[in-house]
Amino acid sequence: MEATGSQVNYGHVALVEPVAGGFKELTHRTHADGVAWYGDWMLVANGTELQVYDLRHVWLMSSTDPKAGTGVVAGRSSAFGHKWALPLVARYSTTGATIGNPRACGMATPAGRSASAP
């Protein structure tokens, strides 16, 4: 979101993965099952992993040309044609899941109770 006076503009932010010398498109692009905002962190769950993004590091791109790709080339930054990019800072994998083959959610059993208890 950008605000100048009373004018407010909303836009998209590209989720990117930092690499040596810049950033790149996410290695595994999947559908977000859930998104949560907690303090300075944006948490994205996708059934395979929990991705963590740092909202203190929203990057302004120098190019919004969608043909420019994603990353830093010749000193110019671009992220899918978006004006802003948000870097991935951590990821936590779901046990038993692989990208493209998420782990099915099962029924949780509270401590001290058997799975057959009502």
Side-chain angles (χ1 to χ4, degrees):
M1 175 175 75
E2 287 184 61
T4 53
S6 62
Q7 179 71 29
V8 177
N9 296 312
Y10 293 91
H12 295 275
V13 62
L15 303 179
V16 298
E17 192 168 343
V19 294
F23 59 93
K24 66 177 187 167
E25 189 175 328
L26 289 176
T27 302
H28 304 290
R29 294 175 57 193
T30 62
H31 174 80
D33 294 326
V35 177
W37 179 2
Y38 181 75
D40 292 329
W41 311 105
M42 183 176 77
L43 309 170
V44 177
N46 63 25
T48 303
E49 64 185 3
L50 177 68
Q51 299 171 341
V52 181
Y53 297 88
D54 189 339
L55 296 171
R56 296 170 296 178
H57 298 281
V58 179
W59 299 336
L60 176 63
M61 300 293 100
S62 57
S63 172
T64 56
D65 180 0
K67 295 177 184 175
T70 300
V72 178
V73 177
R76 295 190 50 82
S77 59
S78 177
F80 315 114
H82 296 299
K83 188 172 183 176
W84 303 97
L86 185 61
L88 176 74
V89 295
R91 60 171 28 119
Y92 301 92
S93 296
T94 304
T95 303
T98 57
I99 299 296
N101 185 22
R103 181 177 158 267
C105 295
M107 205 168 134
T109 304
R113 297 188 69 184
S114 71
S116 61

